[in-house]
Amino acid sequence: MANQPDLRWIGLIMITIIVADDHNLVRQGICALLEKQENVEVVAQVSDGREAVELIKTHQPDLALIDISMPQLDGIQATQQIVLADLPTKVIILSMHSKPNIVRQVLREGAQGYLLKKSVSEELKLAIRSAMDGHIYLSPEIATKMLGDLQDLDEALENESANTLTAREHEVLQLVAEGNTNKEIAEVLVISERTVEKHRANVMKKLNVSDLPSLINEAMRRDLIFFRTTQLK
């Protein structure tokens, strides 16, 4: 049987998209690029990861373009929640980071693509088409690195250890890095302060640190967090 034409790409079916990026100018620029596509509709745009997940649950768009570095939930955590909720939305991560270990984290959580922000204007349409056709899209620079760059064994083992953090521990770590108190974290996650303290202690133990500044620095060094405030509480 001959392959059926993809109606999305001849303008007969609209592709719905949500854009999530905490930088207004970047988000507006991406939306402007999308508006040039006749068969694309941006149904919502948002500036933090937690709200992105909620809007995706509400709208269930075909695709979500999500910045990896956002408050509340980073792109990796947001992708994880979208996949766990069994939503039909495909995810493409937008990022300035090109480290292969970060890309592997993204793909492991179920993202359909990884697009470098500096390449958005040239690659966005191709990335969307690839994702909607069920393929994985990587910016060529990323693909080249992943094929040609063998990771140091110690770094690989370290990242495997970092991946033992649970999804909730990642959420707590993210919120701690943003400067939230235990009480504020408890309110956001709808859990008790004691539970927050337990998760926080577990994270510090797993990362082998004993104070808050060391926790933040180690988490950033291991690429476990991508967004933080400058003031720690």
Side-chain angles (χ1 to χ4, degrees), residues 74 76 97 99 101-102 105 155 159 170 218-226:
D74 65 35
I76 296 174
H97 305 281
K99 292 182 180 179
N101 66 298
I102 297 176
Q105 287 185 61
E155 179 184 348
N159 286 327
H170 268 115
E218 184 66 7
M220 293 184 72
R221 188 180 72 81
R222 297 194 187 194
D223 299 316
L224 292 173
I225 56 174
F226 306 96

PDB file of all heavy atoms in Angstrom, residues 74 76 97 99 101-102 105 155 159 170 218-226:
ATOM      1  N   ASP A  74      11.871  22.191  35.400  1.00  0.00           N
ATOM      2  CA  ASP A  74      12.674  22.393  34.195  1.00  0.00           C
ATOM      3  C   ASP A  74      12.102  21.536  33.066  1.00  0.00           C
ATOM      4  O   ASP A  74      11.145  20.780  33.248  1.00  0.00           O
ATOM      5  CB  ASP A  74      14.158  22.113  34.456  1.00  0.00           C
ATOM      6  CG  ASP A  74      14.463  20.655  34.810  1.00  0.00           C
ATOM      7  OD1 ASP A  74      13.803  19.748  34.272  1.00  0.00           O
ATOM      8  OD2 ASP A  74      15.381  20.423  35.625  1.00  0.00           O
ATOM      9  N   ILE A  76      13.177  18.928  31.525  1.00  0.00           N
ATOM     10  CA  ILE A  76      13.260  17.482  31.703  1.00  0.00           C
ATOM     11  C   ILE A  76      12.151  16.996  32.628  1.00  0.00           C
ATOM     12  O   ILE A  76      11.465  16.006  32.344  1.00  0.00           O
ATOM     13  CB  ILE A  76      14.641  17.084  32.247  1.00  0.00           C
ATOM     14  CG1 ILE A  76      15.736  17.425  31.233  1.00  0.00           C
ATOM     15  CG2 ILE A  76      14.686  15.585  32.561  1.00  0.00           C
ATOM     16  CD1 ILE A  76      17.148  17.193  31.739  1.00  0.00           C
ATOM     17  N   HIS A  97      22.191  24.402  25.923  1.00  0.00           N
ATOM     18  CA  HIS A  97      23.170  23.404  26.337  1.00  0.00           C
ATOM     19  C   HIS A  97      23.347  22.343  25.248  1.00  0.00           C
ATOM     20  O   HIS A  97      22.370  21.869  24.674  1.00  0.00           O
ATOM     21  CB  HIS A  97      22.725  22.723  27.629  1.00  0.00           C
ATOM     22  CG  HIS A  97      22.441  23.682  28.751  1.00  0.00           C
ATOM     23  ND1 HIS A  97      23.434  24.249  29.508  1.00  0.00           N
ATOM     24  CD2 HIS A  97      21.272  24.178  29.227  1.00  0.00           C
ATOM     25  CE1 HIS A  97      22.900  25.050  30.413  1.00  0.00           C
ATOM     26  NE2 HIS A  97      21.587  25.030  30.265  1.00  0.00           N
ATOM     27  N   LYS A  99      25.584  19.540  25.849  1.00  0.00           N
ATOM     28  CA  LYS A  99      26.265  18.385  26.423  1.00  0.00           C
ATOM     29  C   LYS A  99      25.487  17.106  26.108  1.00  0.00           C
ATOM     30  O   LYS A  99      24.280  17.024  26.356  1.00  0.00           O
ATOM     31  CB  LYS A  99      26.383  18.536  27.942  1.00  0.00           C
ATOM     32  CG  LYS A  99      27.318  19.640  28.403  1.00  0.00           C
ATOM     33  CD  LYS A  99      27.377  19.654  29.925  1.00  0.00           C
ATOM     34  CE  LYS A  99      28.290  20.740  30.443  1.00  0.00           C
ATOM     35  NZ  LYS A  99      28.324  20.759  31.933  1.00  0.00           N
ATOM     36  N   ASN A 101      25.307  14.355  27.696  1.00  0.00           N
ATOM     37  CA  ASN A 101      24.635  13.731  28.842  1.00  0.00           C
ATOM     38  C   ASN A 101      23.284  14.382  29.123  1.00  0.00           C
ATOM     39  O   ASN A 101      22.338  13.721  29.548  1.00  0.00           O
ATOM     40  CB  ASN A 101      25.520  13.782  30.091  1.00  0.00           C
ATOM     41  CG  ASN A 101      25.753  15.182  30.600  1.00  0.00           C
ATOM     42  OD1 ASN A 101      26.324  16.002  29.898  1.00  0.00           O
ATOM     43  ND2 ASN A 101      25.329  15.455  31.823  1.00  0.00           N
ATOM     44  N   ILE A 102      23.163  15.692  28.851  1.00  0.00           N
ATOM     45  CA  ILE A 102      21.876  16.364  29.027  1.00  0.00           C
ATOM     46  C   ILE A 102      20.888  15.882  27.971  1.00  0.00           C
ATOM     47  O   ILE A 102      19.719  15.620  28.264  1.00  0.00           O
ATOM     48  CB  ILE A 102      22.045  17.893  28.943  1.00  0.00           C
ATOM     49  CG1 ILE A 102      22.948  18.397  30.073  1.00  0.00           C
ATOM     50  CG2 ILE A 102      20.687  18.587  29.005  1.00  0.00           C
ATOM     51  CD1 ILE A 102      23.234  19.884  30.012  1.00  0.00           C
ATOM     52  N   GLN A 105      19.510  12.589  28.913  1.00  0.00           N
ATOM     53  CA  GLN A 105      18.464  12.704  29.936  1.00  0.00           C
ATOM     54  C   GLN A 105      17.123  13.041  29.304  1.00  0.00           C
ATOM     55  O   GLN A 105      16.087  12.466  29.635  1.00  0.00           O
ATOM     56  CB  GLN A 105      18.831  13.810  30.937  1.00  0.00           C
ATOM     57  CG  GLN A 105      19.937  13.492  31.912  1.00  0.00           C
ATOM     58  CD  GLN A 105      20.110  14.620  32.908  1.00  0.00           C
ATOM     59  OE1 GLN A 105      19.206  14.951  33.666  1.00  0.00           O
ATOM     60  NE2 GLN A 105      21.278  15.239  32.901  1.00  0.00           N
ATOM     61  N   GLU A 155      32.647  10.478  34.444  1.00  0.00           N
ATOM     62  CA  GLU A 155      31.491  11.350  34.272  1.00  0.00           C
ATOM     63  C   GLU A 155      30.237  10.522  34.044  1.00  0.00           C
ATOM     64  O   GLU A 155      29.174  10.813  34.586  1.00  0.00           O
ATOM     65  CB  GLU A 155      31.704  12.299  33.102  1.00  0.00           C
ATOM     66  CG  GLU A 155      30.527  13.232  32.844  1.00  0.00           C
ATOM     67  CD  GLU A 155      30.729  14.102  31.614  1.00  0.00           C
ATOM     68  OE1 GLU A 155      31.848  14.147  31.094  1.00  0.00           O
ATOM     69  OE2 GLU A 155      29.739  14.725  31.192  1.00  0.00           O
ATOM     70  N   ASN A 159      26.914  10.517  36.465  1.00  0.00           N
ATOM     71  CA  ASN A 159      25.575  10.858  35.996  1.00  0.00           C
ATOM     72  C   ASN A 159      24.592   9.729  36.272  1.00  0.00           C
ATOM     73  O   ASN A 159      23.417   9.970  36.542  1.00  0.00           O
ATOM     74  CB  ASN A 159      25.604  11.188  34.501  1.00  0.00           C
ATOM     75  CG  ASN A 159      26.234  12.542  34.239  1.00  0.00           C
ATOM     76  OD1 ASN A 159      26.100  13.452  35.045  1.00  0.00           O
ATOM     77  ND2 ASN A 159      26.935  12.675  33.137  1.00  0.00           N
ATOM     78  N   HIS A 170      13.737  15.494  42.473  1.00  0.00           N
ATOM     79  CA  HIS A 170      14.112  16.479  41.463  1.00  0.00           C
ATOM     80  C   HIS A 170      13.282  17.754  41.616  1.00  0.00           C
ATOM     81  O   HIS A 170      13.807  18.861  41.495  1.00  0.00           O
ATOM     82  CB  HIS A 170      13.900  15.904  40.056  1.00  0.00           C
ATOM     83  CG  HIS A 170      15.116  15.236  39.499  1.00  0.00           C
ATOM     84  ND1 HIS A 170      15.173  13.892  39.236  1.00  0.00           N
ATOM     85  CD2 HIS A 170      16.329  15.735  39.148  1.00  0.00           C
ATOM     86  CE1 HIS A 170      16.367  13.584  38.754  1.00  0.00           C
ATOM     87  NE2 HIS A 170      17.083  14.682  38.688  1.00  0.00           N
ATOM     88  N   GLU A 218      26.760  21.534  43.358  1.00  0.00           N
ATOM     89  CA  GLU A 218      26.917  20.159  42.893  1.00  0.00           C
ATOM     90  C   GLU A 218      25.807  19.778  41.912  1.00  0.00           C
ATOM     91  O   GLU A 218      26.056  19.103  40.901  1.00  0.00           O
ATOM     92  CB  GLU A 218      26.911  19.204  44.088  1.00  0.00           C
ATOM     93  CG  GLU A 218      27.171  17.748  43.741  1.00  0.00           C
ATOM     94  CD  GLU A 218      28.563  17.475  43.217  1.00  0.00           C
ATOM     95  OE1 GLU A 218      29.417  18.400  43.234  1.00  0.00           O
ATOM     96  OE2 GLU A 218      28.803  16.340  42.765  1.00  0.00           O
ATOM     97  N   ALA A 219      24.588  20.224  42.205  1.00  0.00           N
ATOM     98  CA  ALA A 219      23.471  19.921  41.298  1.00  0.00           C
ATOM     99  C   ALA A 219      23.673  20.572  39.937  1.00  0.00           C
ATOM    100  O   ALA A 219      23.390  19.968  38.897  1.00  0.00           O
ATOM    101  CB  ALA A 219      22.163  20.390  41.921  1.00  0.00           C
ATOM    102  N   MET A 220      24.181  21.796  39.927  1.00  0.00           N
ATOM    103  CA  MET A 220      24.450  22.468  38.659  1.00  0.00           C
ATOM    104  C   MET A 220      25.600  21.796  37.919  1.00  0.00           C
ATOM    105  O   MET A 220      25.566  21.637  36.701  1.00  0.00           O
ATOM    106  CB  MET A 220      24.751  23.944  38.902  1.00  0.00           C
ATOM    107  CG  MET A 220      23.556  24.740  39.408  1.00  0.00           C
ATOM    108  SD  MET A 220      23.903  26.506  39.586  1.00  0.00           S
ATOM    109  CE  MET A 220      23.972  26.982  37.854  1.00  0.00           C
ATOM    110  N   ARG A 221      26.613  21.378  38.671  1.00  0.00           N
ATOM    111  CA  ARG A 221      27.763  20.728  38.040  1.00  0.00           C
ATOM    112  C   ARG A 221      27.357  19.424  37.363  1.00  0.00           C
ATOM    113  O   ARG A 221      27.864  19.067  36.305  1.00  0.00           O
ATOM    114  CB  ARG A 221      28.833  20.452  39.090  1.00  0.00           C
ATOM    115  CG  ARG A 221      30.161  19.956  38.518  1.00  0.00           C
ATOM    116  CD  ARG A 221      31.175  19.710  39.608  1.00  0.00           C
ATOM    117  NE  ARG A 221      30.873  18.531  40.388  1.00  0.00           N
ATOM    118  CZ  ARG A 221      31.181  17.286  39.999  1.00  0.00           C
ATOM    119  NH1 ARG A 221      31.788  17.080  38.832  1.00  0.00           N
ATOM    120  NH2 ARG A 221      30.883  16.258  40.761  1.00  0.00           N
ATOM    121  N   ARG A 222      26.398  18.738  37.970  1.00  0.00           N
ATOM    122  CA  ARG A 222      25.940  17.463  37.414  1.00  0.00           C
ATOM    123  C   ARG A 222      24.788  17.631  36.427  1.00  0.00           C
ATOM    124  O   ARG A 222      24.199  16.648  35.986  1.00  0.00           O
ATOM    125  CB  ARG A 222      25.492  16.537  38.552  1.00  0.00           C
ATOM    126  CG  ARG A 222      26.597  16.153  39.512  1.00  0.00           C
ATOM    127  CD  ARG A 222      26.154  15.004  40.372  1.00  0.00           C
ATOM    128  NE  ARG A 222      27.110  14.694  41.423  1.00  0.00           N
ATOM    129  CZ  ARG A 222      27.093  13.578  42.140  1.00  0.00           C
ATOM    130  NH1 ARG A 222      26.160  12.665  41.900  1.00  0.00           N
ATOM    131  NH2 ARG A 222      27.969  13.359  43.086  1.00  0.00           N
ATOM    132  N   ASP A 223      24.448  18.882  36.113  1.00  0.00           N
ATOM    133  CA  ASP A 223      23.367  19.155  35.157  1.00  0.00           C
ATOM    134  C   ASP A 223      22.024  18.606  35.642  1.00  0.00           C
ATOM    135  O   ASP A 223      21.208  18.121  34.854  1.00  0.00           O
ATOM    136  CB  ASP A 223      23.688  18.588  33.772  1.00  0.00           C
ATOM    137  CG  ASP A 223      24.944  19.191  33.173  1.00  0.00           C
ATOM    138  OD1 ASP A 223      25.098  20.425  33.262  1.00  0.00           O
ATOM    139  OD2 ASP A 223      25.764  18.435  32.629  1.00  0.00           O
ATOM    140  N   LEU A 224      21.795  18.708  36.951  1.00  0.00           N
ATOM    141  CA  LEU A 224      20.512  18.297  37.513  1.00  0.00           C
ATOM    142  C   LEU A 224      19.535  19.462  37.600  1.00  0.00           C
ATOM    143  O   LEU A 224      18.332  19.250  37.711  1.00  0.00           O
ATOM    144  CB  LEU A 224      20.710  17.701  38.913  1.00  0.00           C
ATOM    145  CG  LEU A 224      21.444  16.362  38.960  1.00  0.00           C
ATOM    146  CD1 LEU A 224      21.721  15.966  40.396  1.00  0.00           C
ATOM    147  CD2 LEU A 224      20.635  15.278  38.259  1.00  0.00           C
ATOM    148  N   ILE A 225      20.038  20.670  37.596  1.00  0.00           N
ATOM    149  CA  ILE A 225      19.199  21.860  37.581  1.00  0.00           C
ATOM    150  C   ILE A 225      19.746  22.828  36.559  1.00  0.00           C
ATOM    151  O   ILE A 225      20.944  22.886  36.299  1.00  0.00           O
ATOM    152  CB  ILE A 225      19.110  22.550  38.971  1.00  0.00           C
ATOM    153  CG1 ILE A 225      20.509  22.885  39.503  1.00  0.00           C
ATOM    154  CG2 ILE A 225      18.333  21.685  39.951  1.00  0.00           C
ATOM    155  CD1 ILE A 225      20.497  23.685  40.783  1.00  0.00           C
ATOM    156  N   PHE A 226      18.829  23.606  35.972  1.00  0.00           N
ATOM    157  CA  PHE A 226      19.208  24.547  34.924  1.00  0.00           C
ATOM    158  C   PHE A 226      18.714  25.951  35.212  1.00  0.00           C
ATOM    159  O   PHE A 226      18.981  26.876  34.473  1.00  0.00           O
ATOM    160  CB  PHE A 226      18.642  24.094  33.568  1.00  0.00           C
ATOM    161  CG  PHE A 226      19.030  22.688  33.226  1.00  0.00           C
ATOM    162  CD1 PHE A 226      18.172  21.637  33.505  1.00  0.00           C
ATOM    163  CD2 PHE A 226      20.250  22.419  32.645  1.00  0.00           C
ATOM    164  CE1 PHE A 226      18.536  20.338  33.193  1.00  0.00           C
ATOM    165  CE2 PHE A 226      20.621  21.116  32.338  1.00  0.00           C
ATOM    166  CZ  PHE A 226      19.754  20.073  32.617  1.00  0.00           C
TER     167      PHE A 226
END
